[in-house]
Each structure stands twice: as structure tokens, then as C-alpha cells.
Amino acid sequence: MNLIEKVAAARNWNDDERQVLEQVQRMTDEVIAPNAEHIDETGEFPWKNVEAINALGLNAIFVPEAFGGMPMSYKLYLEIVSIISEACASTGIIYATNYHGMKPLIDFGNDEQRARLLPKIAEGGLGALAITEPTAGSDATGMKTSFTEDGDDIVVKGSKVFITNGDVADRILLFGKWAGIDDARKAISVLILEKGMEGFSVIGKEKKMGHHGSSTCALAFDNIRVPHANLIGNPGDGLAILLASLNKSRPSIAAHARGIARAAFKDMVSYGNERVQGGKKIIEFQGNQFTLADLAGELAMVERWIDYVADIVDGGGKDFGMEASLAKLRASDLAMKMTTECVQFYGGYGYCRDYRAERLMRDAKITQIWEGTNQVHRQLIGRSFREK
Ligand SMILES: Cc1cc2nc3c(=O)[nH]c(=O)nc-3n(C[C@H](O)[C@H](O)[C@H](O)COP(=O)(O)OP(=O)(O)OC[C@H]3O[C@@H](n4cnc5c(N)ncnc54)[C@H](O)[C@@H]3O)c2cc1C
């Protein structure tokens, strides 16, 4: 066993978790991995992969039992994100976005909302999380989408950009500002949009560097009448819900990046043991060994750190914002570094589409940008050391 295989083998899954992981690995090997190149080339939404994920009931593992789920540990959820993302980053982010969009409803919705809105997700519906607007990227408080109370409804007007699953989601967790509250931070509120609501439209789909199978949409809300019953918490609760939710979606983004990094590392090891130049396998060159050693070390640390954050969450911890930021920051920087080195390791073949190294590098870049750019995470972590 090499060092990375030993790190993986040392993780202590219980029997139920082990069984789920074996099923996920089999499904990934049989369905998702063979489909990855095709969806990257065509940009088709990978419905076949979503069906395979749903055949295993993988959304159910993060939905409470009372609302149709079969909950298992957060650590297991993160590992599933990594396994799927290792095979196909697009499918990994589609699955993870269900969690990112629906976890705030699970944690902050009332029982009526959860009973009405979650069973669809537990049985395989798609979720989305809609925060970003043209004027509100890193600074979410700049959002302009408005929520105006009118009788039993809330009238939603505005637009969002860059929304993953935006065109296919059954439920969209939507952030906007409550009309009548002037303070930008105190006005942020959150509600659930359901598929088919009148006034909802998809006005654009991005053409991207990578993640071609995952749709990234611009959405418009033209006076959508959303029942008041779909408001999560109270008007103005949105920012607190957003911050608490990001703490759980950021490790999930880290797990997605970890999957990409694992794929690139495995490819480097196998190519290094196969490709011969100057009469030697390229893994025999000391410079390449140093590269592998450094990357293996970083991957091992990222693996352990993500598990550490997961253990805090599974143990009921509440104060883990910096730990979550660090996981996101280091896993995504590693995914970019690992995939760049992977392309280099493959020489000219790495630059061409015959091998997946090129796709991995394109897929890795966004992990440093979404769910808070890495500059923002460095700033969050750095300023936590300021003395009060
Ligand atoms: C493929 C894709 C999928 C996405 N999916 C979703 C989704 O599902 N839901 C959603 O709501 N959003 C989504 N996003 C949006 C994503 O989260 C934002 O793009 C990201 O938060 C950055 O915002 P921005 O693009 O407006 O960049 P800006 O905020 O304009 O940043 C521009 C540059 O300035 C830097 N910068 C900005 N503020 C600071 C600061 N305070 N300190 C230091 N540097 C700073 C940034 O790091 C960056 O380099 C997605 C984006 C993409 C491309």
C-alpha cells in the first residue's frame, strides 16, 4: 500500500457506512466514470448519473427520518461527494448542491415546511442555492432581489446569476431583501421557490471553462407570488441562516475539490509507473519523486483535515467557521496545484484530451472561486487572529 492508500485504509467507517461506500464506488465505476468524458464534451446534463445517485437514495442520507430521509453521518456524506467528484466533478457538484440548497431548510425550517418540502428531495429531487447577483458576489449584502409582503404571499422580484442546478431544481433556496427594512444586513431574508411557480424564468446558461455537465444559470423573478408559508424563519433572519449554512457547505466544497485532487494524484502515480523516457519510467526521475512526495503530503493533510471538520459537525459542534474555511481553502488550492502538476507530469499528452488530466485542471479552477473566493477565506482566517 502506498502512503495515500494507507491514509484511506486508516479511516474508521462502521459497517453500514462501509456498505454504502462500496455501493457508491460501484455505481461510480459503472455509471458515472464512463459517462464523464461524454458530458464534458457535449455539456449535456447528466440525468443518467442523477438517476444512478437516486437509485441508491443518496439524498436521503442528509434528510431527517421524519421527512422521508435515512440520515447518516456528515463525514460519510462528504466522502460520497469526493468519490463522485473524483469520477466526474460536474456530477459531484450537482449532488452536493442538493445538500447546499436544502440543508438550511432542514436546519432552520419549521416542521410544516420540512414535511411539505423535503420528501421530494429525499426521494431524489434536485435543489439549488441562490445567493449571487450581478451586484452581489463576494459581498452578499449587495443583493437587490426584493421580497414584498402582500396578503398571504410574498412577491419576489429580481434576478440571480451563476446558480448551479438553477434550471433543473425542484426547490430553490432563495435569498433576497425584505422590503421596508433599510439596513442591508438586517433585510436579508430567505424563502423556498418551488418548481413551476409563475413568474420564474431561466434567462441564460453560462459557457464555462469546466464543469460542462453542471448547469450554471441566470434566473429572473418577475413578481412571483410565493406563499408566506415558504419563508424560512422571520424577515431579516437570512444573513444568520446564510452564515451558518455556509459553514456546512464549505467542507462539502472541500470534499468536491478533494475528489478532483485524488483523481489527479492517482493518474500521476499510474502514468509515472507506465511512461518510459530515456530508458526509465518517469517515476524514477528524482524531480518527479519530489513532486509526488510534496503532493502526497498535502493530500494526506487535506484528507485528515476534512475528516477533522466532519467529526466536529457529527459531534454537534457549532463553532467551526474557521475550520470550514481552512478546509475549503486548502482543498481547493491543492486541487488546482495537483491538476496543474498532473498536466505537467503527462507532458504534451496532458495538454490534449486523450487523457483526463486536461479536464481535471479545467474542473479544478472554480473550486478556488465559489463558496467564497480563496482571497475571502484567507481574509476570514487572517482576521480571526486580530486581538479584540
Ligand atoms: C460555475 C459557478 C457556479 C456557481 N454556483 C453558485 C450557486 O449555486 N449559487 C450562488 O449563489 N452562487 C454561485 N456561484 C457564484 C460564486 O459563488 C461567485 O462567483 C463568487 O462568490 C465570487 O463572486 P464574483 O464572481 O461576483 O466575484 P467578485 O466578488 O466580484 O470578486 C472579484 C475578485 O475580487 C476579489 N475580492 C472581492 N471581495 C474581496 C474581499 N473582500 N477581499 C479580498 N478579495 C476580494 C475576489 O477574490 C475576486 O478575485 C457560482 C459561480 C460559478 C462561476
Side-chain angles (χ1 to χ4, degrees), residues 315-351:
K318 298 272 178 265
D319 178 16
F320 56 91
M322 289 310 109
E323 289 85 343
S325 271
L326 190 60
K328 193 276 177 186
L329 173 65
R330 293 306 295 266
S332 58
D333 278 353
L334 178 61
M336 195 64 234
K337 186 171 168 186
M338 186 81 87
T339 56
T340 307
E341 292 290 359
C342 182
V343 168
Q344 190 71 22
F345 217 74
Y346 274 74
Y349 298 97
Y351 193 68

CSV table of all heavy atoms in Angstrom, one decimal, residues 315-351:
chain,number,residue,atom,x,y,z
A,315,GLY,N,-20.2,15.6,15.8
A,315,GLY,CA,-20.2,15.7,17.3
A,315,GLY,C,-21.1,16.8,17.8
A,315,GLY,O,-21.1,17.0,19.0
A,316,GLY,N,-21.8,17.5,16.9
A,316,GLY,CA,-22.7,18.5,17.4
A,316,GLY,C,-22.1,19.9,17.6
A,316,GLY,O,-22.7,20.8,18.2
A,317,GLY,N,-20.8,20.1,17.2
A,317,GLY,CA,-20.1,21.3,17.4
A,317,GLY,C,-20.8,22.5,16.6
A,317,GLY,O,-21.4,22.2,15.6
A,318,LYS,N,-20.7,23.7,17.1
A,318,LYS,CA,-21.3,24.8,16.5
A,318,LYS,C,-20.3,25.8,16.0
A,318,LYS,O,-20.6,26.5,15.0
A,318,LYS,CB,-22.2,25.5,17.5
A,318,LYS,CG,-23.4,24.7,18.0
A,318,LYS,CD,-24.6,24.7,17.1
A,318,LYS,CE,-25.7,23.8,17.6
A,318,LYS,NZ,-25.7,22.5,17.0
A,319,ASP,N,-19.2,25.9,16.6
A,319,ASP,CA,-18.2,27.0,16.3
A,319,ASP,C,-17.1,26.4,15.4
A,319,ASP,O,-16.0,26.0,16.0
A,319,ASP,CB,-17.7,27.5,17.6
A,319,ASP,CG,-16.6,28.6,17.4
A,319,ASP,OD1,-16.5,29.1,16.2
A,319,ASP,OD2,-15.9,28.9,18.3
A,320,PHE,N,-17.3,26.3,14.1
A,320,PHE,CA,-16.3,25.7,13.3
A,320,PHE,C,-16.1,26.5,12.0
A,320,PHE,O,-15.6,25.9,11.0
A,320,PHE,CB,-16.6,24.2,13.0
A,320,PHE,CG,-17.9,23.9,12.4
A,320,PHE,CD1,-18.1,23.9,11.0
A,320,PHE,CD2,-19.0,23.8,13.2
A,320,PHE,CE1,-19.3,23.7,10.5
A,320,PHE,CE2,-20.3,23.6,12.7
A,320,PHE,CZ,-20.4,23.5,11.3
A,321,GLY,N,-16.4,27.7,12.0
A,321,GLY,CA,-16.4,28.5,10.8
A,321,GLY,C,-14.9,28.6,10.2
A,321,GLY,O,-14.7,28.5,9.0
A,322,MET,N,-13.9,28.8,11.1
A,322,MET,CA,-12.6,28.9,10.6
A,322,MET,C,-12.1,27.6,10.1
A,322,MET,O,-11.4,27.5,9.1
A,322,MET,CB,-11.6,29.4,11.7
A,322,MET,CG,-11.8,30.8,12.1
A,322,MET,SD,-11.8,31.9,10.7
A,322,MET,CE,-13.5,32.4,10.6
A,323,GLU,N,-12.5,26.5,10.8
A,323,GLU,CA,-12.0,25.2,10.3
A,323,GLU,C,-12.6,24.9,9.0
A,323,GLU,O,-12.0,24.3,8.1
A,323,GLU,CB,-12.5,24.1,11.4
A,323,GLU,CG,-11.8,24.2,12.7
A,323,GLU,CD,-12.4,25.2,13.7
A,323,GLU,OE1,-13.1,26.1,13.3
A,323,GLU,OE2,-12.1,25.0,14.9
A,324,ALA,N,-13.9,25.3,8.7
A,324,ALA,CA,-14.6,25.0,7.5
A,324,ALA,C,-13.9,25.8,6.4
A,324,ALA,O,-13.7,25.4,5.2
A,324,ALA,CB,-16.0,25.4,7.6
A,325,SER,N,-13.5,27.1,6.7
A,325,SER,CA,-12.9,28.0,5.7
A,325,SER,C,-11.5,27.4,5.3
A,325,SER,O,-11.1,27.3,4.1
A,325,SER,CB,-12.6,29.4,6.3
A,325,SER,OG,-13.7,30.2,6.1
A,326,LEU,N,-10.8,26.9,6.3
A,326,LEU,CA,-9.5,26.3,6.0
A,326,LEU,C,-9.6,25.1,5.2
A,326,LEU,O,-8.8,24.8,4.2
A,326,LEU,CB,-8.7,26.0,7.4
A,326,LEU,CG,-7.3,25.6,7.2
A,326,LEU,CD1,-6.5,26.7,6.6
A,326,LEU,CD2,-6.7,25.2,8.6
A,327,ALA,N,-10.6,24.2,5.4
A,327,ALA,CA,-10.8,23.0,4.6
A,327,ALA,C,-11.0,23.4,3.1
A,327,ALA,O,-10.4,22.9,2.2
A,327,ALA,CB,-12.0,22.2,5.1
A,328,LYS,N,-11.9,24.4,2.9
A,328,LYS,CA,-12.2,24.9,1.6
A,328,LYS,C,-11.0,25.5,0.9
A,328,LYS,O,-10.7,25.1,-0.3
A,328,LYS,CB,-13.4,25.9,1.7
A,328,LYS,CG,-14.0,26.3,0.4
A,328,LYS,CD,-13.3,27.3,-0.4
A,328,LYS,CE,-13.9,27.6,-1.8
A,328,LYS,NZ,-13.2,28.5,-2.6
A,329,LEU,N,-10.3,26.3,1.6
A,329,LEU,CA,-9.1,27.0,1.1
A,329,LEU,C,-8.0,26.0,0.7
A,329,LEU,O,-7.5,26.0,-0.5
A,329,LEU,CB,-8.6,27.9,2.2
A,329,LEU,CG,-7.3,28.6,1.9
A,329,LEU,CD1,-7.4,29.6,0.7
A,329,LEU,CD2,-6.8,29.4,3.1
A,330,ARG,N,-7.7,25.1,1.6
A,330,ARG,CA,-6.5,24.2,1.3
A,330,ARG,C,-6.9,23.1,0.3
A,330,ARG,O,-6.1,22.7,-0.5
A,330,ARG,CB,-6.0,23.6,2.6
A,330,ARG,CG,-5.4,24.6,3.5
A,330,ARG,CD,-4.3,25.4,2.9
A,330,ARG,NE,-3.1,24.6,2.5
A,330,ARG,CZ,-2.1,24.4,3.2
A,330,ARG,NH1,-1.9,25.0,4.4
A,330,ARG,NH2,-1.1,23.6,2.8
A,331,ALA,N,-8.1,22.6,0.4
A,331,ALA,CA,-8.5,21.5,-0.6
A,331,ALA,C,-8.6,22.1,-2.0
A,331,ALA,O,-8.2,21.4,-3.0
A,331,ALA,CB,-9.8,20.9,-0.2
A,332,SER,N,-9.1,23.3,-2.1
A,332,SER,CA,-9.3,23.8,-3.5
A,332,SER,C,-7.9,24.3,-4.0
A,332,SER,O,-7.6,24.1,-5.2
A,332,SER,CB,-10.3,25.0,-3.5
A,332,SER,OG,-9.9,26.0,-2.6
A,333,ASP,N,-7.1,24.9,-3.2
A,333,ASP,CA,-5.7,25.2,-3.7
A,333,ASP,C,-5.0,23.9,-4.1
A,333,ASP,O,-4.2,23.9,-5.1
A,333,ASP,CB,-4.9,26.0,-2.6
A,333,ASP,CG,-5.3,27.5,-2.6
A,333,ASP,OD1,-6.0,27.9,-3.5
A,333,ASP,OD2,-4.8,28.2,-1.7
A,334,LEU,N,-5.2,22.9,-3.3
A,334,LEU,CA,-4.5,21.6,-3.7
A,334,LEU,C,-5.0,21.0,-5.0
A,334,LEU,O,-4.3,20.5,-5.8
A,334,LEU,CB,-4.7,20.6,-2.5
A,334,LEU,CG,-4.0,19.2,-2.8
A,334,LEU,CD1,-2.5,19.3,-3.1
A,334,LEU,CD2,-4.3,18.2,-1.7
A,335,ALA,N,-6.4,21.1,-5.2
A,335,ALA,CA,-7.0,20.6,-6.4
A,335,ALA,C,-6.3,21.3,-7.6
A,335,ALA,O,-6.0,20.7,-8.6
A,335,ALA,CB,-8.5,20.7,-6.4
A,336,MET,N,-6.2,22.6,-7.5
A,336,MET,CA,-5.6,23.4,-8.6
A,336,MET,C,-4.1,23.0,-8.8
A,336,MET,O,-3.7,22.8,-10.0
A,336,MET,CB,-5.8,24.9,-8.3
A,336,MET,CG,-5.6,25.7,-9.6
A,336,MET,SD,-6.8,25.4,-10.8
A,336,MET,CE,-5.8,25.1,-12.2
A,337,LYS,N,-3.4,22.9,-7.7
A,337,LYS,CA,-2.0,22.6,-7.8
A,337,LYS,C,-1.8,21.2,-8.4
A,337,LYS,O,-0.9,20.9,-9.2
A,337,LYS,CB,-1.4,22.8,-6.4
A,337,LYS,CG,0.1,22.6,-6.3
A,337,LYS,CD,0.5,23.0,-4.9
A,337,LYS,CE,2.0,22.7,-4.6
A,337,LYS,NZ,2.3,22.9,-3.2
A,338,MET,N,-2.5,20.3,-7.8
A,338,MET,CA,-2.4,18.9,-8.2
A,338,MET,C,-2.7,18.7,-9.6
A,338,MET,O,-2.0,17.9,-10.3
A,338,MET,CB,-3.3,18.0,-7.3
A,338,MET,CG,-3.2,16.6,-7.5
A,338,MET,SD,-1.8,15.9,-6.5
A,338,MET,CE,-2.6,15.6,-4.9
A,339,THR,N,-3.8,19.3,-10.1
A,339,THR,CA,-4.2,19.1,-11.5
A,339,THR,C,-3.2,19.8,-12.5
A,339,THR,O,-2.9,19.3,-13.6
A,339,THR,CB,-5.6,19.5,-11.8
A,339,THR,OG1,-5.7,20.9,-11.4
A,339,THR,CG2,-6.6,18.7,-11.0
A,340,THR,N,-2.6,20.9,-12.1
A,340,THR,CA,-1.6,21.6,-12.9
A,340,THR,C,-0.4,20.7,-13.0
A,340,THR,O,0.2,20.5,-14.1
A,340,THR,CB,-1.3,23.0,-12.3
A,340,THR,OG1,-2.5,23.7,-12.1
A,340,THR,CG2,-0.4,23.8,-13.2
A,341,GLU,N,0.0,20.2,-11.9
A,341,GLU,CA,1.2,19.3,-11.9
A,341,GLU,C,0.9,18.0,-12.7
A,341,GLU,O,1.8,17.4,-13.3
A,341,GLU,CB,1.6,18.9,-10.4
A,341,GLU,CG,2.2,20.0,-9.6
A,341,GLU,CD,3.6,20.5,-10.1
A,341,GLU,OE1,4.1,19.9,-11.0
A,341,GLU,OE2,4.1,21.5,-9.5
A,342,CYS,N,-0.3,17.6,-12.6
A,342,CYS,CA,-0.7,16.3,-13.3
A,342,CYS,C,-0.5,16.5,-14.8
A,342,CYS,O,0.0,15.7,-15.5
A,342,CYS,CB,-2.1,16.0,-13.0
A,342,CYS,SG,-2.7,14.5,-13.7
A,343,VAL,N,-1.0,17.7,-15.3
A,343,VAL,CA,-0.9,18.0,-16.7
A,343,VAL,C,0.6,18.0,-17.1
A,343,VAL,O,1.1,17.5,-18.1
A,343,VAL,CB,-1.6,19.4,-17.1
A,343,VAL,CG1,-1.1,19.9,-18.5
A,343,VAL,CG2,-3.1,19.2,-17.0
A,344,GLN,N,1.4,18.7,-16.2
A,344,GLN,CA,2.9,18.7,-16.5
A,344,GLN,C,3.5,17.3,-16.5
A,344,GLN,O,4.4,17.1,-17.3
A,344,GLN,CB,3.5,19.6,-15.3
A,344,GLN,CG,4.9,20.0,-15.6
A,344,GLN,CD,5.1,21.0,-16.7
A,344,GLN,OE1,4.2,21.7,-17.0
A,344,GLN,NE2,6.3,21.1,-17.2
A,345,PHE,N,3.1,16.5,-15.6
A,345,PHE,CA,3.6,15.1,-15.5
A,345,PHE,C,3.3,14.3,-16.8
A,345,PHE,O,4.1,13.5,-17.2
A,345,PHE,CB,2.8,14.4,-14.3
A,345,PHE,CG,3.7,13.5,-13.5
A,345,PHE,CD1,4.6,14.0,-12.6
A,345,PHE,CD2,3.5,12.1,-13.6
A,345,PHE,CE1,5.4,13.2,-11.8
A,345,PHE,CE2,4.3,11.3,-12.8
A,345,PHE,CZ,5.2,11.8,-11.9
A,346,TYR,N,2.2,14.6,-17.4
A,346,TYR,CA,1.9,13.9,-18.6
A,346,TYR,C,2.5,14.5,-19.9
A,346,TYR,O,2.3,14.0,-21.0
A,346,TYR,CB,0.3,13.9,-18.9
A,346,TYR,CG,-0.4,12.8,-18.2
A,346,TYR,CD1,-0.6,12.9,-16.8
A,346,TYR,CD2,-1.0,11.8,-18.9
A,346,TYR,CE1,-1.4,11.9,-16.1
A,346,TYR,CE2,-1.7,10.8,-18.3
A,346,TYR,CZ,-1.9,10.8,-16.9
A,346,TYR,OH,-2.6,9.9,-16.3
A,347,GLY,N,3.3,15.6,-19.7
A,347,GLY,CA,3.9,16.2,-20.8
A,347,GLY,C,2.9,16.7,-21.8
A,347,GLY,O,1.8,17.1,-21.4
A,348,GLY,N,3.2,16.6,-23.1
A,348,GLY,CA,2.2,17.1,-24.2
A,348,GLY,C,0.9,16.3,-24.1
A,348,GLY,O,-0.1,16.9,-24.5
A,349,TYR,N,0.9,15.1,-23.7
A,349,TYR,CA,-0.3,14.3,-23.6
A,349,TYR,C,-1.3,14.9,-22.6
A,349,TYR,O,-2.5,14.8,-22.7
A,349,TYR,CB,-0.1,12.9,-23.3
A,349,TYR,CG,0.8,12.2,-24.4
A,349,TYR,CD1,2.2,12.1,-24.2
A,349,TYR,CD2,0.2,11.8,-25.6
A,349,TYR,CE1,2.9,11.5,-25.2
A,349,TYR,CE2,1.0,11.2,-26.6
A,349,TYR,CZ,2.3,11.1,-26.4
A,349,TYR,OH,3.1,10.6,-27.4
A,350,GLY,N,-0.7,15.6,-21.6
A,350,GLY,CA,-1.5,16.2,-20.5
A,350,GLY,C,-2.3,17.4,-21.1
A,350,GLY,O,-3.4,17.7,-20.5
A,351,TYR,N,-1.8,18.0,-22.1
A,351,TYR,CA,-2.4,19.2,-22.7
A,351,TYR,C,-3.6,18.8,-23.6
A,351,TYR,O,-4.4,19.6,-24.1
A,351,TYR,CB,-1.4,20.0,-23.4
A,351,TYR,CG,-1.8,21.4,-23.7
A,351,TYR,CD1,-2.1,22.4,-22.7
A,351,TYR,CD2,-2.0,21.8,-25.0
A,351,TYR,CE1,-2.5,23.6,-23.0
A,351,TYR,CE2,-2.4,23.1,-25.4
A,351,TYR,CZ,-2.6,24.0,-24.4
A,351,TYR,OH,-3.0,25.3,-24.7
